[in-house]
Amino acid sequence: MKLVIVKDYNELGKITGDFILEKVKQNPNVILGLATGSSPITTYEYIIEKTKENNIDWSGVKTFNLDEYVGLTPDHEQSYRYFMEKQLFEHINIKKENTHVPNGLWKTNEEAAQYDEEIKKAGGIDLQLLGIGQNGHIGFNEPGASFDSITSIVDLTKTTIEANSRFFEKVSDVPTKAVSMGLKSIMNSKEIILIASGANKTEAIKHLIKGEIGTEWPCTVLQNHPNVTVIVDQEAAKEAISAANK
């Protein structure tokens, strides 16, 4: 696992954006796994800016997003499909049919599991972008999630619901379930880049980098992956640096 510490959230976006853009330039048909939430916003803004400046072609790129809230339609303003359209897809020349987001209206795990089959048919994810929750979740794989899990319908913890309530008018509006790639789905990616910003992520990053591998902190599964880059700002890295120096 490679750890990269940057100055702040804006620099995080530039470094991560360049990392992803380089993959697109190297392979015009690259398959990317994408994330939502606040962590990747500066990354997507930078990608849009550089794509326009340098006429980078996204027409052959395929994307698969990590997760979606259960019960939200694609046009709902808090759905992750809507987020991706507004934050990235509408601003680059990617083909709509090449962008995949789990369906929040799926009712069964059998339906959800077909997402893994779609990824497999496409050739597998070349680079997966991840954020991380305060409790160490990646995707919406909450503490206790099996390391063998594939895409399924999952319950969100109170901590995650409260953290995500900043995007909604009130806590009671936040969905309590999501469709999420499983930990096994994520680990099948050829390469992974995880980003984090802010002091509220310090504990999770410490466990990710130095913690004992176990389901209590789902992010620790990434220690078993051969090709992971962690990019964090100085605030998010504090606990990890402290642990490394002990």
Side-chain angles (χ1 to χ4, degrees), residues 163-213:
N164 287 0
S165 66
R166 67 191 188 278
F167 301 116
F168 293 80
E169 284 190 20
K170 52 188 184 296
V171 175
S172 59
D173 290 339
V174 184
T176 58
K177 293 178 181 288
V179 182
S180 177
M181 278 191 206
L183 293 174
K184 185 177 180 180
S185 312
I186 291 168
M187 290 290 284
N188 283 337
S189 305
K190 301 177 184 78
E191 186 173 3
I192 293 170
I193 181 170
L194 182 144
I195 60 175
S197 172
N200 63 332
K201 300 295 177 72
T202 57
E203 187 74 8
I205 294 299
K206 180 182 76 171
H207 282 277
L208 168 66
I209 301 296
K210 289 287 181 182
E212 182 179 340
I213 298 172

Side-chain angles (χ1 to χ4, degrees), residues 19-214:
F19 196 102
I20 294 170
L21 288 169
E22 191 57 36
K23 299 294 179 184
V24 174
K25 286 185 273 189
Q26 288 174 0
N27 177 8
N29 299 310
V30 69
I31 299 172
L32 300 175
L34 297 179
T36 54
S38 54
S39 295
I41 288 177
T42 55
T43 297
Y44 294 152
E45 288 173 346
Y46 182 80
I47 284 173
I48 292 165
E49 177 189 338
K50 291 300 171 184
T51 293
K52 290 177 178 176
E53 277 182 19
N54 301 313
N55 293 317
I56 297 168
D57 183 18
W58 286 78
S59 62
V61 176
K62 292 182 180 177
T63 65
F64 288 89
N65 264 77
L66 282 165
D67 40 33
E68 178 61 280
Y69 286 120
V70 165
L72 300 192
T73 57
D75 59 353
H76 190 289
E77 288 188 5
Q78 297 302 336
S79 77
Y80 287 159
R81 163 57 79 175
Y82 187 91
F83 175 98
M84 291 306 304
E85 293 292 339
K86 297 300 178 184
Q87 297 291 337
L88 183 62
F89 296 154
E90 289 180 358
H91 308 282
I92 58 178
N93 70 322
I94 196 165
K95 294 176 181 175
K96 182 75 175 278
E97 63 268 25
N98 285 347
T99 65
H100 304 82
V101 180
N103 189 334
L105 301 182
W106 285 335
K107 302 294 186 186
T108 67
N109 284 331
E110 286 73 25
E111 288 176 294
Q114 290 304 307
Y115 198 63
D116 288 66
E117 291 302 314
E118 282 190 63
I119 293 170
K120 188 176 178 181
K121 284 178 189 172
I125 292 171
D126 295 307
L127 176 66
Q128 175 67 59
L129 175 65
L130 297 174
I132 188 169
Q134 294 178 42
N135 62 4
H137 73 240
I138 51 176
F140 271 130
N141 295 284
E142 302 281 22
S146 168
F147 283 2
D148 289 326
S149 58
I150 60 172
T151 303
S152 62
I153 298 169
V154 300
D155 294 315
L156 305 183
T157 63
K158 183 180 178 183
T159 304
T160 297
I161 291 168
E162 288 175 351
N164 287 0
S165 66
R166 67 191 188 278
F167 301 116
F168 293 80
E169 284 190 20
K170 52 188 184 296
V171 175
S172 59
D173 290 339
V174 184
T176 58
K177 293 178 181 288
V179 182
S180 177
M181 278 191 206
L183 293 174
K184 185 177 180 180
S185 312
I186 291 168
M187 290 290 284
N188 283 337
S189 305
K190 301 177 184 78
E191 186 173 3
I192 293 170
I193 181 170
L194 182 144
I195 60 175
S197 172
N200 63 332
K201 300 295 177 72
T202 57
E203 187 74 8
I205 294 299
K206 180 182 76 171
H207 282 277
L208 168 66
I209 301 296
K210 289 287 181 182
E212 182 179 340
I213 298 172

Side-chain angles (χ1 to χ4, degrees), residues 209-246:
I209 301 296
K210 289 287 181 182
E212 182 179 340
I213 298 172
T215 58
E216 184 179 351
W217 288 89
C219 57
T220 58
V221 71
L222 297 179
Q223 294 180 30
N224 293 328
H225 194 283
N227 197 357
V228 177
T229 301
V230 177
I231 304 178
V232 295
D233 66 11
Q234 292 174 350
E235 284 292 312
K238 281 181 179 176
E239 292 286 343
I241 294 170
S242 176
N245 290 335
K246 287 179 180 177

